[in-house]
Amino acid sequence: MPTADTTSNGPWDAKLQQFHGGQDWAHMDNFVEDFSVTTNAFGMPDSAMAAAIQSISHSHHYPPADQEPARSSLARFLWPAEFESEQNRLILGNGASELIDLVIRMAPKGTWKPGPFRTQYKEYERSARNNNFELLPVDSADKANVACLVNPCNPTGDYLELPDLKRWISANVLPGGYVLIDESMQPWHSAEFREHSLTSQHEYIRKMYDEYSISIFVMHSWTKLWCCTGLRLGSVVCPTVDHMRAIKKVQVPWSVNVVALAFLNAVVADETYLRKTWQMTPVWRRQTINLLQKMFPGWVFYGRDFLSWIWVDTGSETTAQKAVDLAHAAGVPVRSGRPGYNLPSFVRLAVREPTKVNVLLDAWKSL
Ligand SMILES: Cc1ncc(COP(=O)(O)O)c(C=O)c1O
């Protein structure tokens, strides 16, 4: 069962659902900025938002059953040079959440294991539990039938480069097993993100399947990079076309709606948006950490420089709860490390532009 927040889980049913950030804003009359989700600091890209709004006018028609042309556009974005040979392994979903659940349902039954970090995004575990997997602890020496690693890891900010990631897969997955690698936050890496991504490792993925029957899936939530959590957009790059077809066979029809498809088809062309994302995210992240370090010398800040959030250990449950409460009262909610992650001295805050950060820092002056 998801871990219950001892104070409140807001609109989440703590017994049935996994807590996520991003719900508070709608219930605040002084809302300024949402620091509780890991979305892009630049908000929804204008060009794609315009395409999404325009698509409402043909929303009295069903979405295309083959998800085109958005699916191909995303494939071209992922593999500018190798689009033709790789694109048939890609399928879109109603957020990564739909695909996480579909792939875990299809996976060989048995044991499930998380990535090696202190904690990770919890929907993988929730789906494994719902599908009656035996959950192995993070430090188990046993290989699992299904292993899920979030890379970069939300919330801890850990990141494995490809050689380490491949070593982890070999050491933790049984022959015939499934591996789900979540690269939702990986495109923040840099303009060279593709070369560092598992999506570029065609030969390796083929070899793992041919020689060990290990199926490696690369999951993406596109709702963070392109700041469109309300639209629900995700994808999975499957190890083979047959795996993609197996997902297609059970996926509900039209799971990605007209508006989300129009948004995706436009957003992949917005190079300016990505350039400013790569340029400014590490700068704002560093500035925010520097300011917080001055205010709270005892706090410890985790995560790679390019990430869209900061994972902070305040060193005290009471301080973290107060930080959450003060941020909430000032209209700048942050995510507590307590619900789901069970790390109550931690808070996670999104990287945001300096004027918004100032509101949060003002709120924390009385901490
Ligand atoms: C690492 C990671 N993967 C997947 C998801 C699910 O995203 P969505 O269903 O919005 O695409 C999230 C959302 O927070 C996430 O942080």
Side-chain angles (χ1 to χ4, degrees):
M1 283 292 143
T3 315
D5 183 353
T6 54
T7 49
S8 160
N9 261 1
W12 299 103
D13 183 326
K15 288 207 172 66
L16 305 176
Q17 295 177 299
Q18 177 60 57
F19 176 90
H20 296 282
Q23 297 286 318
D24 293 352
W25 70 275
H27 310 283
M28 298 175 149
D29 48 21
N30 63 342
F31 176 72
V32 177
E33 176 63 284
D34 195 352
F35 283 81
S36 75
V37 286
T38 56
T39 48
N40 195 316
F42 284 103
M44 270 184 131
D46 291 339
S47 55
M49 187 169 4
I53 291 169
Q54 214 253 323
S55 74
I56 294 283
S57 66
H58 53 260
S59 291
H60 56 299
H61 297 296
Y62 273 109
D66 57 3
Q67 307 177 329
E68 295 295 357
R71 198 197 62 86
S72 293
S73 299
L74 180 64
R76 280 200 170 82
F77 172 82
L78 289 173
W79 303 289
E82 296 151 311
F83 153 78
E84 289 294 350
S85 56
E86 306 306 325
Q87 57 134 341
N88 287 333
R89 295 188 291 121
L90 178 71
I91 188 164
L92 308 181
N94 190 270
S97 303
E98 181 196 16
L99 299 166
I100 291 168
D101 192 55
L102 283 179
V103 175
I104 292 183
R105 276 171 204 247
M106 281 170 28
K109 292 289 174 275
T111 51
W112 176 90
K113 190 171 194 178
F117 312 123
R118 188 164 181 186
T119 188
Q120 70 175 23
Y121 181 70
K122 286 284 177 177
E123 284 296 335
Y124 292 91
E125 180 181 321
R126 172 170 180 254
S127 182
R129 186 178 278 115
N130 282 343
N131 287 285
N132 301 316
F133 281 83
E134 179 195 339
L135 305 189
L136 298 179
V138 61
D139 55 358
S140 165
D142 294 339
K143 292 185 175 184
N145 298 99
V146 178
C148 299
L149 185 153
V150 182
N151 195 46
C153 181
N154 174 20
T156 66
D158 293 292
Y159 180 61
L160 297 184
E161 292 289 350
L162 287 173
D164 287 336
L165 183 57
K166 291 177 183 177
R167 265 192 292 279
W168 183 86
I169 291 172
S170 295
N172 287 285
V173 187
L174 288 164
Y178 269 30
V179 186
L180 285 73
I181 303 297
D182 186 320
E183 289 198 354
S184 301
M185 316 302 187
Q186 197 277 340
W188 259 279
H189 182 282
S190 64
E192 289 75 46
F193 76 94
R194 294 177 184 87
E195 289 121 70
H196 295 260
S197 161
L198 208 47
T199 55
S200 69
Q201 302 297 298
H202 320 307
E203 279 320 309
Y204 164 75
I205 303 256
R206 260 166 227 151
K207 194 165 158 250
M208 289 300 281
Y209 188 63
D210 290 346
E211 292 186 9
Y212 307 103
S213 301
I214 290 181
S215 304
I216 302 176
F217 297 81
V218 186
M219 323 296 298
H220 282 102
S221 164
W222 296 110
T223 65
K224 310 303 178 314
L225 181 68
W226 288 315
C227 197
C228 59
T229 44
L231 286 185
R232 321 302 308 122
L233 260 180
S235 66
V236 54
V237 179
C238 301
T240 68
V241 177
D242 284 347
H243 288 85
M244 187 284 290
R245 288 169 56 79
I247 295 175
K248 201 181 222 181
K249 183 164 182 251
V250 293
Q251 185 176 40
V252 296
W254 314 293
S255 89
V256 189
N257 67 44
V258 164
V259 180
L261 289 172
F263 179 91
L264 180 60
N265 197 47
V267 81
V268 290
D270 196 335
E271 290 171 15
T272 313
Y273 182 86
L274 283 186
R275 244 180 277 120
K276 66 185 181 187
T277 298
W278 292 319
Q279 189 186 355
M280 291 314 296
T281 307
V283 174
W284 287 343
R285 191 175 191 280
R286 176 44 50 202
Q287 282 173 0
T288 305
I289 291 178
N290 288 346
L291 291 167
L292 284 170
Q293 243 156 5
K294 278 203 194 95
M295 284 173 76
F296 309 106
W299 288 13
V300 184
F301 304 91
Y302 293 94
R304 293 286 293 260
D305 292 348
F306 62 82
L307 293 174
S308 61
W309 73 93
I310 308 167
W311 181 233
V312 186
D313 188 0
T314 68
S316 144
E317 278 185 43
T318 316
T319 305
Q321 188 56 52
K322 215 171 152 199
V324 169
D325 293 343
L326 287 169
H328 189 275
V332 281
V334 299
R335 199 234 194 261
S336 162
R338 184 197 300 276
Y341 299 132
N342 217 5
L343 291 167
S345 68
F346 282 77
V347 293
R348 188 192 68 198
L349 51 132
V351 172
R352 294 292 182 248
E353 59 169 286
T355 52
K356 306 286 175 52
V357 173
N358 288 341
V359 180
L360 181 63
L361 298 188
D362 274 351
W364 282 352
K365 273 188 183 142
S366 64
L367 253 185

